Amino acid sequence: CLDEEGKVHGFGSSWRTEDCNDCSCSKTGIGCCTSYMRPVDFDEEKCESIFNKETCSYKVVEKDDHSKECPVHSWVG
């Protein structure tokens, strides 16, 4: 399989992209999906979600104090 960056991957292999997508190669082609869950049910007036590209994950924190995490009631991915 040839990915969008021009790298060749063998059949049965899998990898994670710079954009945090998990991909795999099979004889039918390349399949990719996000490797992270996105927070969707939290107090958006008081809190904000921040994506960490190094860990491929979101953290939901208070807008005024990023050291305080906010509860998240629902995630999608």
Side-chain angles (χ1 to χ4, degrees):
C1 297
L2 186 65
D3 69 17
E4 57 189 31
E5 295 176 1
K7 294 179 184 174
V8 176
H9 300 272
F11 293 133
S13 66
S14 59
W15 65 97
R16 181 165 284 174
T17 68
E18 282 184 17
D19 296 329
C20 295
N21 290 314
D22 286 334
C23 299
S24 61
C25 171
S26 69
K27 291 183 180 182
T28 58
I30 293 177
C32 297
C33 60
T34 59
S35 63
Y36 53 87
M37 301 290 281
R38 188 170 45 86
V40 292
D41 186 8
F42 60 93
D43 184 347
E44 293 187 42
E45 286 186 26
K46 180 181 177 184
C47 306
E48 64 184 332
S49 63
I50 299 173
F51 187 72
N52 182 332
K53 203 168 184 178
E54 289 182 19
T55 62
C56 295
S57 63
Y58 278 96
K59 189 174 187 176
V60 179
V61 294
E62 290 185 7
K63 290 178 181 178
D64 296 333
D65 185 353
H66 284 187
S67 70
K68 295 182 181 177
E69 289 194 41
C70 297
V72 179
H73 305 290
S74 185
W75 299 76
V76 296

